[in-house]
Amino acid sequence: SGQLTATRSAFALQPLFDRLAGMHEAQARQKGLQLRVRPTSAWVDTDAMLLERALINLLTNALRYTYQGGVLLAAHRQGGQVRVRVVDTGVGIAESAQEAVFDEFVQLDNPERDSALGYGLGLPTVRRLAALLGLNLRLRSRPGRGSVFMLVVPAVEPGAVSRLRVGSPQ
């Protein structure tokens, strides 16, 4: 409804990654999947709570639609950006459906509308959060091979301090 505002700050990704791993470990274990979190020393400048919400949605979806193998959460610094990736070995998404999965209530392969498979709001939420934060959201996927969702986040040097507000004049 346009009520959400973002507050940027500089923070290390590793504590967030540790929290996310703890939140999703049981779900992965119940399905016999491996959840891996690659250690990172990267720092980013964005809204920590909103980035966490987006990554929760991506990890939940990755685990929901992966039936064997696993899910990886990783970050890679490239220049002034950090590429935060959620990689799965799940069912994958056909190229023709890759834009549609970001529309509300779209669920591929769920014609019965089984609520155990979600409501089709996770990826639209991720897209809205990425837009609010000014982050680039990317998807690469192949049916039967899995998916890679990536958020491109501004990098900062460790210990940097930022009090910028997204969307506010500086």
Side-chain angles (χ1 to χ4, degrees), residues 6 54 124-137 151 166-167:
T125 298
V126 171
R127 181 170 58 182
R128 279 194 302 277
L129 291 172
L132 175 67
L133 295 170
L135 307 181
N136 189 342
L137 172 61
L151 287 165
V166 174

Side-chain angles (χ1 to χ4, degrees), residues 36-112:
R36 294 184 307 135
V37 177
R38 187 169 295 149
T40 181
S41 60
W43 279 61
V44 295
D45 185 9
T46 192
D47 186 298
M49 186 178 68
L50 298 180
L51 178 61
E52 180 172 351
R53 181 73 252 167
L55 292 173
I56 286 170
N57 286 354
L58 291 175
L59 286 165
T60 298
N61 271 8
L63 289 165
R64 180 177 289 142
Y65 294 105
T66 299
Y67 302 105
Q68 62 181 354
V71 174
L72 168 70
L73 174 62
H76 174 74
R77 184 163 178 163
Q78 189 169 14
Q81 302 173 327
V82 175
R83 296 166 187 262
V84 180
R85 295 178 295 132
V86 175
V87 182
D88 67 58
T89 58
V91 297
I93 304 165
E95 190 172 339
S96 61
Q98 288 182 14
E99 186 57 35
V101 297
F102 291 103
D103 293 337
E104 289 185 349
F105 306 111
V106 169
Q107 292 180 291
L108 306 178
D109 301 324
N110 188 15
E112 301 85 20

